[in-house]
């Protein structure tokens, strides 16, 4: 196995794998549009989406933690299920797609969001940097 050099902070840490880059075995390019979105972009998008949910909760629900989670989940389900990306994904140039590059269906967006809200499925990923929430939904988060 070969260790890759660090890229920019948006591209994430080096990966150890039998494949040369995440997504290669899925037919995804190494860089640019269609390539697997790396951890730095993912975390930045998540922080932005969570921050937006917290702001909405602060103004309408006095920062209730349950409201934070419900608002976050609702926006994820709506935006990912309809457009393929949350606000954070859009800002950081990413989109959730089916493995064949097709648009995500609303039901897939709902299931994916529920798994994200459980947190644990997100913490474990495969060599293509797909968490269990993406593996279960047969989706992949790619750069656009």
């Amino acid at each position: 196995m070969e260790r890759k050099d660090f890229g920019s902070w948006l591209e994430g840490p080096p990966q150890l794998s039998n494949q040369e880059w995440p997504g290669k075995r899925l037919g995804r390019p190494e860089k640019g549009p269609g390539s697997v979105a790396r951890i730095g972009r993912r975390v930045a998008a998540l922080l932005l989406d969570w921050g937006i949910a917290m702001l909405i909760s602060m103004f309408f629900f006095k920062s209730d933690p349950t409201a934070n989670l419900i608002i976050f989940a609702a926006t994820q389900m709506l935006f990912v299920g309809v457009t393929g990306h949350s606000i954070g994904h859009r800002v950081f140039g990413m989109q959730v797609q089916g493995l064949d590059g097709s648009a995500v269906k609303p039901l897939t967006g709902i299931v994916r969001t529920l798994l994200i809200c459980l947190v644990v499925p997100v913490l474990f990923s495969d060599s293509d940097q797909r968490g269990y929430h993406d593996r279960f939904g047969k989706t992949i988060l790619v750069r656009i």
Side-chain angles (χ1 to χ4, degrees):
M1 288 191 286
E2 189 174 295
R3 189 172 171 100
K4 291 185 172 262
D5 294 329
F6 277 99
S8 76
W9 71 275
L10 285 175
E11 297 308 311
Q15 297 294 312
L16 293 173
S17 174
N18 289 333
Q19 60 183 355
E20 295 175 39
W21 63 84
K24 181 178 182 183
R25 70 180 181 86
L26 299 173
R28 296 294 178 158
E30 181 176 8
K31 296 179 181 173
S35 65
V36 174
R38 304 304 199 273
I39 190 71
R41 288 178 187 272
R42 292 169 182 255
V43 170
L46 177 67
L47 292 174
L48 179 59
D49 290 337
W50 190 255
I52 290 169
M54 289 179 66
L55 281 173
I56 294 169
S57 175
M58 183 176 70
F59 285 114
F60 295 104
F61 302 102
K62 298 180 181 158
S63 296
D64 178 58
T66 304
N68 292 347
L69 183 60
I70 291 170
I71 292 165
F72 173 80
T75 57
Q76 292 291 306
M77 286 179 197
L78 176 66
F79 292 124
V80 172
V82 173
T83 67
H85 40 70
S86 67
I87 294 169
H89 291 155
R90 187 71 176 151
V91 167
F92 289 97
M94 299 179 293
Q95 184 178 37
V96 179
Q97 298 178 350
L99 291 177
D100 61 356
S102 63
V104 175
K105 294 175 177 51
L107 182 60
T108 303
I110 291 169
V111 171
R112 185 178 186 276
T113 298
L114 293 174
L115 290 171
I116 288 171
C117 289
L118 291 176
V119 178
V120 175
V122 179
L123 298 177
F124 299 98
S125 63
D126 62 13
S127 62
D128 294 308
Q129 295 184 353
R130 294 173 54 227
Y132 287 128
H133 61 293
D134 280 325
R135 293 183 69 182
F136 184 78
K138 296 181 180 153
T139 59
I140 189 166
L141 185 59
V142 297
R143 293 181 61 188
I144 52 173

